[in-house]
Amino acid sequence: MDILNQYEVKFANTFGKQIHSINTWLSAYINDHYTIEETERLLNKNINKVLNGEIKKGGGQTQSLYFADITILETKIYQDMEAWEFDNTIKPDFTLPTSHFKIIVEAWRDYILK
């Protein structure tokens, strides 16, 4: 729970289930995974595989064209995938440890399941 507090994670059900956090782009990226299938795919085919050493990088774009670059140490969130594709050395809009990202996404999954 400390990680969720650190990132000021809150869940709401106003116009569908939503996550809010300390960073707009972190929230937006996770909110784009609004079905249990999409959230499980993010966890199982990206975050967990990276953390287990099965793949070096995970992530990708969402339907709103947000982009995440997930490595074993950190997850970088970009608000504009096209800008990253043009220059993948640009500064991310938000960065957090991948282990923290996993905890937040797991909490989101649990909230969706309620």
Side-chain angles (χ1 to χ4, degrees):
M1 192 59 124
D2 290 335
I3 298 297
L4 299 181
N5 289 333
Q6 179 180 343
Y7 293 94
E8 300 177 14
V9 172
K10 305 271 188 272
F11 301 104
N13 193 354
T14 47
F15 299 104
K17 293 185 176 183
Q18 297 178 333
I19 185 171
H20 302 279
S21 74
I22 198 167
N23 182 268
T24 300
W25 308 117
L26 173 63
S27 302
Y29 186 84
I30 295 172
N31 275 320
D32 267 4
H33 295 84
Y34 56 86
T35 67
I36 191 63
E37 294 81 15
E38 291 168 347
T39 304
E40 288 289 350
R41 188 177 317 111
L42 176 60
L43 278 167
N44 297 325
K45 297 202 180 221
N46 289 278
I47 299 169
N48 290 335
K49 283 190 174 195
V50 167
L51 289 174
N52 293 335
E54 296 174 48
I55 58 176
K56 288 188 178 194
K57 285 191 171 212
Q61 76 181 46
T62 69
Q63 65 186 14
S64 299
L65 299 182
Y66 303 123
F67 181 77
D69 182 15
I70 303 170
T71 65
I72 197 162
L73 294 179
E74 62 187 8
T75 297
K76 299 174 184 176
I77 308 284
Y78 300 87
Q79 70 170 331
D80 185 351
M81 184 197 74
E82 289 179 356
W84 182 87
E85 285 179 334
F86 181 73
D87 177 7
N88 61 19
T89 64
I90 63 172
K91 182 180 178 211
D93 295 290
F94 191 70
T95 303
L96 72 163
T98 299
S99 59
H100 292 188
F101 187 54
K102 177 181 178 178
I103 290 167
I104 295 167
V105 173
E106 286 173 337
W108 172 241
R109 177 203 56 204
D110 295 346
Y111 178 70
I112 291 174
L113 287 171
K114 289 182 182 178

